[in-house]
Amino acid sequence: MRILITGVCGFVGSALAESFFERVEGVHVVGMDNMIRPGAETNRIRMERMGVELIHGDLRSASDMAGLPACDWVIDAAANPSVLAGLSGAGGSRRLFEHNLGAFGNVLEYCREQSAGLLLLSSSRVYSIPALASIPLRELNHAFAIDPVTPLPPGLTVSGIGEGFSTAAPISLYGATKLASEIMALEYGATFDFPVWITRCGVLAGAGQFGTAAQGIFAFWVNAHLRRRNIRYIGFNGSGCQARDAFHPRDLAALLLAQMRTSRREGQRIYTAGGGPANTMSLAQLTAWCDQRFGPHAPAIDPEPRMFDIPWMVMDSAAANRDFNWQIEMPVTAILDGIAQHATLHPDWLEVSHA
Ligand SMILES: NC(=O)c1ccc[n+]([C@@H]2O[C@H](COP(=O)([O-])OP(=O)(O)OC[C@H]3O[C@@H](n4cnc5c(N)ncnc54)[C@H](O)[C@@H]3O)[C@@H](O)[C@H]2O)c1
């Protein structure tokens, strides 16, 4: 099996490569990265030593793409993954468009030319922000949780958000690049007859993730807490009750492998995957976990709401479980433990990540 991983020096791409070498005998991994993410360079040597055929190239460049060897599958893990991407002015929105959507056109062309299957790492951010903001919630143990007595909107159960939840705009510029990529991927796959699988991932987290306040929140929070840096509860009355589920890319790798191995060509192509209710934590609960591990460090309060922020996001992976017998194995405490160990061993991680 030959797999091309775009963004192979990023957090998810590098973890997937590692997982495939462990799980798939004789796998050949080709990796491409332009190292634009601060910290990506730190994964270069590790990837090469592991056996990745690493190509320093940019997906935006058709000539860089033309130099790629043939592969059976492409996993697209190259993108600017921040929901706040494109808001900075000074060409930020154009850059987001070029990296996340324009470049994806080149990936699709590669799949067409090589007859390679495509696994698109989409995002929970394709879901409608007003619909997410209207989910009936209550406060439970310093975290927002679904209010089960209220009727729930389509696509939402007490287990979380599923594929049927609204994707109506606004969904953020980042979310829109992913939703547009999904549509283009399905259309290319149907027109040129190559398999396409789309996974709308919730928050992915783990040791070695590049964390900033805008993206990679679990890694950022643990690193910043450990070093007594400024951490803030933004919006939601400064409660820190905003909650997310988290899962590790190793668990995602198992789902992607199941998708690559199935011979099914019909039926559902889009899946929602994430940590689920058991792997959900609020910022206040994450702070309590860090307090216990590193000693107390209180976040500042900034009650002013931030654009695109939502109080609660938990993924319902029931369809992935039903169709691929998939479920996560790594509990959130193990994910946090890994991040904490890594943070202790890498005192400059926030600088590496340009946090
Ligand atoms: N991290 C999450 O919580 C999360 C959640 C849902 C979906 N995703 C998706 O998973 C994928 C990987 O996310 P991540 O957290 O590993 O991000 P990351 O920033 O750690 O990795 C992305 C990698 O892609 C590279 N890259 C970006 N633009 C490129 C281009 N034009 N050409 C070549 N390389 C390029 C970067 O240098 C970086 O190494 C993204 O598509 C993201 O949207 C991530």
Side-chain angles (χ1 to χ4, degrees):
M1 190 190 266
R2 294 175 63 88
I3 306 175
L4 167 64
I5 302 180
T6 68
V8 75
C9 291
F11 166 59
V12 176
S14 59
L16 291 178
E18 191 169 16
S19 219
F20 293 149
F21 280 118
E22 282 168 17
R23 291 168 199 239
V24 187
E25 214 184 312
V27 70
H28 183 82
V29 178
V30 178
M32 192 191 213
D33 207 297
N34 66 356
M35 309 293 169
I36 200 170
R37 176 79 195 244
E41 191 66 43
T42 59
N43 279 324
R44 176 203 286 269
I45 294 174
R46 193 167 70 88
M47 287 300 104
E48 284 179 335
R49 287 202 180 127
M50 209 181 281
V52 173
E53 182 182 343
L54 186 60
I55 292 159
H56 189 170
D58 196 311
L59 295 177
R60 293 170 299 177
S61 156
S63 57
D64 281 2
M65 294 296 290
L68 289 172
C71 287
D72 308 306
W73 289 95
V74 179
I75 298 175
D76 188 36
N80 182 334
S82 168
V83 73
L84 298 175
L87 302 181
S88 62
S93 50
R94 183 183 292 275
R95 266 196 304 282
L96 175 72
F97 185 87
E98 289 171 353
H99 279 283
N100 285 18
L101 198 52
F104 186 63
N106 286 335
V107 174
L108 292 173
E109 281 297 307
Y110 173 92
C111 291
R112 182 184 64 78
E113 284 161 15
Q114 303 291 344
S115 295
L118 174 67
L119 297 121
L120 171 62
L121 303 191
S122 187
S123 165
S124 54
R125 282 304 191 156
V126 301
Y127 294 117
S128 172
I129 291 174
L132 289 168
S134 315
I135 290 176
L137 299 175
R138 61 182 171 149
E139 220 179 290
L140 194 66
N141 300 327
H142 307 289
F144 291 128
I146 282 199
D147 185 351
V149 293
T150 323
L152 300 177
L156 179 68
T157 68
V158 284
S159 300
I161 293 156
E163 298 81 5
F165 197 77
S166 170
T167 55
I171 57 175
S172 79
L173 291 173
Y174 165 68
T177 64
K178 288 290 178 185
L179 192 59
S181 296
E182 289 186 3
I183 294 168
M184 289 306 296
L186 290 174
E187 211 54 47
Y188 257 68
T191 307
F192 300 112
D193 196 28
F194 59 82
V196 172
W197 296 101
I198 293 166
T199 305
R200 293 176 175 166
C201 305
V203 172
L204 285 148
Q209 183 167 23
F210 318 117
T212 71
Q215 202 272 326
I217 188 66
F218 283 88
F220 169 75
W221 204 263
V222 171
N223 273 275
H225 187 291
L226 169 64
R227 296 175 228 299
R228 303 297 186 255
R229 299 285 185 85
N230 183 23
I231 43 180
R232 288 182 303 153
Y233 292 148
I234 300 175
F236 310 107
N237 299 319
S239 64
C241 284
Q242 53 268 54
R244 300 286 183 274
D245 63 340
F247 75 131
H248 195 276
R250 295 181 67 83
D251 278 328
L252 174 62
L255 176 60
L256 301 181
L257 278 174
Q259 292 172 337
M260 286 188 263
R261 284 173 174 153
T262 181
S263 54
R264 171 161 71 82
R265 297 297 293 255
E266 304 299 326
Q268 186 167 341
R269 313 307 291 180
I270 300 180
Y271 290 87
T272 291
N279 258 21
T280 299
M281 250 193 178
S282 69
L283 275 184
Q285 291 170 333
L286 180 56
T287 305
W289 188 92
C290 292
D291 285 348
Q292 192 134 37
R293 179 117 180 183
F294 307 128
H297 175 51
I301 306 289
D302 181 358
E304 197 60 32
R306 190 172 59 173
M307 204 173 182
F308 303 145
D309 265 0
I310 45 161
W312 179 90
M313 177 83 92
V314 176
M315 298 290 96
D316 180 358
S317 311
N321 178 264
R322 180 197 64 214
D323 290 356
F324 298 104
N325 195 23
W326 180 78
Q327 55 195 21
I328 59 151
E329 288 181 358
M330 200 181 291
V332 70
T333 44
I335 292 175
L336 292 180
D337 196 48
I339 297 174
Q341 284 180 30
H342 181 274
T344 309
L345 290 171
H346 297 83
D348 58 351
W349 197 245
L350 290 172
E351 287 71 31
V352 167
S353 306
H354 281 204

